[in-house]
Amino acid sequence: MSYENAKANLREFGKELNLEGLDFDENNTCILGIDNTFSLHITYEPNSDRLYLYSPILDGLPKDDKIRLKLFERLLEGSMLGGQMAGGGIGVAPKEELILMHCVIDMGLGVDAAALRRFAPLFVETVEKWREIVSKIIAGEEPGPFQFPVPPPDQAATFGGGAKPGERYIKI
């Protein structure tokens, strides 16, 4: 039942983006390119009945120890209780020199087929904010305080739900 719910969520999300036929591959994953800038990975994990959303924040860790420390401190601060990570967190794969932001949507009973469609815009906007922050830190700049993503006034009704199929609220 949960896998069917995950597939229904992916189909609804695809309709919203005018991308008919979105489906999971043999690894239960669907990968979407966001503005040719980064990728959004959506993976269903059958053992936990969860849908995992994850995207790269950085590919290639800074070599300078001071910058790397500042970067990690800022990411850990933002990840505290998921406060600045759309309720999710951040992970570092040092050998691969990769930093990923991730969130989870439960696909168990009671979750409707629009959960992914409602949540994805916030996740993508948050990833974009963190990619900006990380770029500034690596460039030696002070990124300033984190500000939660806010939709443009003309898209307020579509950000997080309520949109009609085909109304674009996410850049793909």
Side-chain angles (χ1 to χ4, degrees), residues 29-42:
T29 298
C30 178
I31 302 171
L32 300 171
I34 308 295
D35 276 352
N36 295 321
T37 307
F38 65 94
S39 55
L40 169 63
H41 300 243
I42 304 166

Side-chain angles (χ1 to χ4, degrees), residues 48-123:
S48 65
D49 291 333
R50 291 178 172 167
L51 202 58
Y52 290 89
L53 281 73
Y54 51 100
S55 289
I57 298 296
L58 179 66
D59 188 6
L61 297 176
K63 304 300 180 211
D64 182 281
D65 288 340
K66 288 181 182 180
I67 291 176
R68 189 172 35 236
L69 177 61
K70 184 174 183 171
L71 174 64
F72 288 171
E73 284 178 347
R74 184 65 184 264
L75 290 169
L76 284 171
E77 179 183 2
S79 190
M80 177 92 55
L81 300 176
Q84 297 173 2
M85 301 284 174
I90 207 85
V92 178
K95 289 180 183 173
E96 293 81 8
E97 296 195 18
L98 181 66
I99 297 175
L100 291 178
M101 186 177 131
H102 62 277
C103 286
V104 176
I105 302 174
D106 186 18
M107 288 288 112
L109 292 174
V111 177
D112 67 10
L116 175 61
R117 177 181 56 84
R118 287 190 306 266
F119 180 71
L122 174 63
F123 182 78

Side-chain angles (χ1 to χ4, degrees), residues 15-29:
K15 286 179 191 174
E16 190 70 26
L17 301 172
N18 284 331
L19 296 172
E20 296 294 323
L22 281 187
D23 205 358
F24 294 111
D25 64 15
E26 65 277 357
N27 297 315
N28 293 332
T29 298

Side-chain angles (χ1 to χ4, degrees), residues 3 67 76 86 93 106 113 126 130-131 158:
Y3 183 58
I67 291 176
L76 284 171
D106 186 18
T126 305
W130 276 105
R131 289 175 62 87
T158 62

